[in-house]
Amino acid sequence: MIWQASHRADPFAREIADRHYNRQKIGSPQFVPPGSCAVFKAETATGRAFWVTSAPFAQYVRHAWAGAWVCSAFRNEGAGKASVMIRDALAATRAKLGEPPALGMITFINRKCVRPIKRRGADVWGWTWLLCGFRHVGETAGGLMALQILPGDMPPANPARGVQSSLFALPGDTP
């Protein structure tokens, strides 16, 4: 597990968040939307990264996937292989937030801000996400590409570093 548990106002993660393309208020102490969340950070010999999962209340969501967890931000600045980091973040999110909602997790990609890769001569956005089990499921009204992973395609729960595993014990588990 590369991820370490963090929080919505962690100065280390905020610095990386300030360089993410969807950051709305650079320098603001908090970088996570309102509501429940899971925030992770990573620092390795080769780089740094952060991840945010938001669990918004469905009644306040304006896209077609209300009720799904949302990967609000993921930025990898050379900390590791992105596909491994995404799968680990999904596992750590499950450990922190519990069983995923029926709609699983959604993430959005702004094709104006992210470079595609070439696959068989065609531009493909979100390739790393697709490798992790996400599927293209549509567009938002604002033109963002929507990718979704359902609970059955997510890895099992695995807590981030810095989290006491006893907090995740289920009734009947022996310590």
Side-chain angles (χ1 to χ4, degrees):
M1 174 61 68
I2 192 171
W3 295 110
Q4 179 180 344
S6 186
H7 56 88
R8 68 176 65 239
D10 181 321
F12 173 91
R14 192 212 70 221
E15 184 181 312
I16 302 167
D18 282 348
R19 292 188 292 275
H20 193 274
Y21 73 83
N22 75 351
R23 182 74 154 124
Q24 293 183 7
K25 252 182 147 175
I26 293 173
S28 175
Q30 293 193 26
F31 51 90
V32 176
S36 297
C37 65
V39 180
F40 308 113
K41 62 183 179 180
E43 186 167 26
T44 67
T46 58
R48 304 164 3 140
F50 90 112
W51 172 281
V52 176
T53 299
S54 301
F57 294 113
Q59 64 266 32
Y60 300 116
V61 174
R62 294 184 181 157
H63 57 70
W65 304 274
W69 287 338
V70 178
C71 173
S72 302
F74 168 52
R75 183 169 176 90
N76 177 13
E77 297 179 343
K81 188 172 181 179
S83 58
V84 172
M85 295 176 77
I86 291 169
R87 297 289 293 176
D88 278 356
L90 289 168
T93 294
R94 285 186 90 157
K96 169 129 172 104
L97 299 180
E99 281 303 306
L103 291 176
M105 180 180 282
I106 195 91
T107 194
F108 302 104
I109 296 175
N110 184 339
R111 286 175 279 223
K112 296 175 185 172
C113 299
V114 177
R115 287 178 304 204
I117 66 160
K118 291 280 188 191
R119 299 296 302 166
R120 298 187 178 131
D123 286 341
V124 178
W125 283 267
W127 179 250
T128 301
W129 297 90
L130 298 172
L131 290 175
C132 294
F134 283 76
R135 301 286 175 255
H136 181 251
V137 291
E139 310 286 323
T140 66
L144 300 178
M145 177 181 183
L147 299 171
Q148 179 183 39
I149 188 168
L150 296 173
D153 296 323
M154 291 183 182
N158 183 18
R161 294 183 300 116
V163 176
Q164 296 176 4
S165 60
S166 62
L167 296 175
F168 298 94
L170 298 172
D173 285 354
T174 54

